[in-house]
């Protein structure tokens, strides 16, 4: 990992904290920069220690409101699937907009991409001088990302790759194994819906926890309540 910067570059202020992901899918009523900016401010007022944001415009809007760390990504559609910061141009936009950390898809499926993620990790370090958060789905992917120089690893893509597709709950065994073996900060992200799950992640040794839909997506939250009513009716 001779090209990597030390993982101490990953924001120390995030240790033992909650990070809130303020994003909206295309077509979602919340897919509006000022709306998401207001959600981000609310999350920060509620105690969030940092934010995860998608796209240069939204990252810049969040940056204008806070000095707390921002984990930045840029989602693109590649071959019909969403790709997280799939090329250096995306990473540069994210960094220039004010992100403290650049997050990207470091799963096996992206190794054959036109710009494979191991090279992106090196370029982000050397040319943008930013720490890299590797979004992964398996332990092998986490370890490979660390070997390539990633400064932290996140469970973001568990349930969204061919090998893990369909999983809709936190894989606590994966979290424990990553904490034990990765040697860099482990971020638990994805499928967190209750405060006690955040506490469990921290107790297992996670550096931080990212929560999105359970906090910032009223449509998803409302649907859960409605589902409970319908299940009871049946």
């Amino acid at each position: 990992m001779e090209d990597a910067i030390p993982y101490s570059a990953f924001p120390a202020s995030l240790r033992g904290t909650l990070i809130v992901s303020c994003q909206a899918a295309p077509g979602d009523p919340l897919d509006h920069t000022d709306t998401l900016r207001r959600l981000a401010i609310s999350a920060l007022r509620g105690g969030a220690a940092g934010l995860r944001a998608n796209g240069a415009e939204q990252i810049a809007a969040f940056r204008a409101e806070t000095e707390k760390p921002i984990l930045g990504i840029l989602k693109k559609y590649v071959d019909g699937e969403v790709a997280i910061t799939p090329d250096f141009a995306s990473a540069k936009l994210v960094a220039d907009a004010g992100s403290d950390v650049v997050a990207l898809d470091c799963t096996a499926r992206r190794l054959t991409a036109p710009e494979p993620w191991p090279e992106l990790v090196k370029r982000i370090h050397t040319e943008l001088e930013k720490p890299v958060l590797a979004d992964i789905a398996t332990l092998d992917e986490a370890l490979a990302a660390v070997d390539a120089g990633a400064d932290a690893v996140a469970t973001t893509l568990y349930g969204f790759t061919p090998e893990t597709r369909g999983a809709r709950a936190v894989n606590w065994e994966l979290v424990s194994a990553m904490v034990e073996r990765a040697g860099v900060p482990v971020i638990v992200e994805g499928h967190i819906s209750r405060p006690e799950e955040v506490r469990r992640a921290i107790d297992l040794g996670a550096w931080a926890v990212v929560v999105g839909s359970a906090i910032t997506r009223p449509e998803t939250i409302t649907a859960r309540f409605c589902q409970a009513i319908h299940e009871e009716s049946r």
Side-chain angles (χ1 to χ4, degrees), residues 17-79:
T17 69
L18 174 69
I19 302 163
V20 175
S21 178
C22 297
Q23 302 178 46
D28 188 296
L30 301 182
D31 186 20
H32 181 272
T33 296
D34 191 59
T35 301
L36 291 170
R37 179 187 67 83
R38 291 170 182 269
L39 280 175
I41 293 170
S42 292
L44 293 168
R45 290 178 62 177
L51 302 167
R52 180 161 166 135
N54 172 41
E57 182 178 335
Q58 292 167 14
I59 292 166
F62 295 179
R63 180 82 290 157
E65 299 292 343
T66 184
E67 295 182 356
K68 291 185 177 181
I70 296 174
L71 314 182
I73 64 172
L74 198 158
K75 291 181 178 178
K76 289 187 174 182
Y77 286 89
V78 178
D79 298 327

Side-chain angles (χ1 to χ4, degrees), residues 186-203:
V186 171
I187 312 299
V188 176
E189 178 173 9
H191 315 304
I192 295 281
S193 60
R194 300 189 305 276
E196 53 266 33
E197 293 173 321
V198 175
R199 181 71 259 171
R200 182 176 181 181
I202 297 298
D203 288 344

Side-chain angles (χ1 to χ4, degrees), residues 108-145:
R109 63 184 176 179
R110 300 297 302 163
L111 286 170
T112 57
E115 295 181 54
W117 60 259
E119 293 302 316
L120 289 179
V121 172
K122 293 178 182 179
R123 292 190 68 187
I124 292 167
H125 283 164
T126 59
E127 298 180 43
L128 303 179
E129 298 183 337
K130 296 286 186 180
V132 172
L133 172 62
D135 290 338
I136 57 81
T138 68
L139 178 61
D140 286 343
E141 290 169 349
L143 298 179

Side-chain angles (χ1 to χ4, degrees), residues 130-218:
K130 296 286 186 180
V132 172
L133 172 62
D135 290 338
I136 57 81
T138 68
L139 178 61
D140 286 343
E141 290 169 349
L143 298 179
V146 173
D147 286 342
D151 304 282
V153 289
T155 59
T156 314
L157 294 172
Y158 176 75
F160 300 99
T161 61
E163 299 83 3
T164 66
R165 195 177 306 281
R168 289 295 178 265
V170 180
N171 184 334
W172 297 109
E173 290 183 2
L174 172 62
V175 173
S176 296
M178 287 169 62
V179 168
E180 180 180 352
R181 298 182 58 184
V184 300
V186 171
I187 312 299
V188 176
E189 178 173 9
H191 315 304
I192 295 281
S193 60
R194 300 189 305 276
E196 53 266 33
E197 293 173 321
V198 175
R199 181 71 259 171
R200 182 176 181 181
I202 297 298
D203 288 344
L204 284 173
W207 188 271
V209 182
V210 176
V211 178
S213 297
I215 295 175
T216 58
R217 292 195 176 180

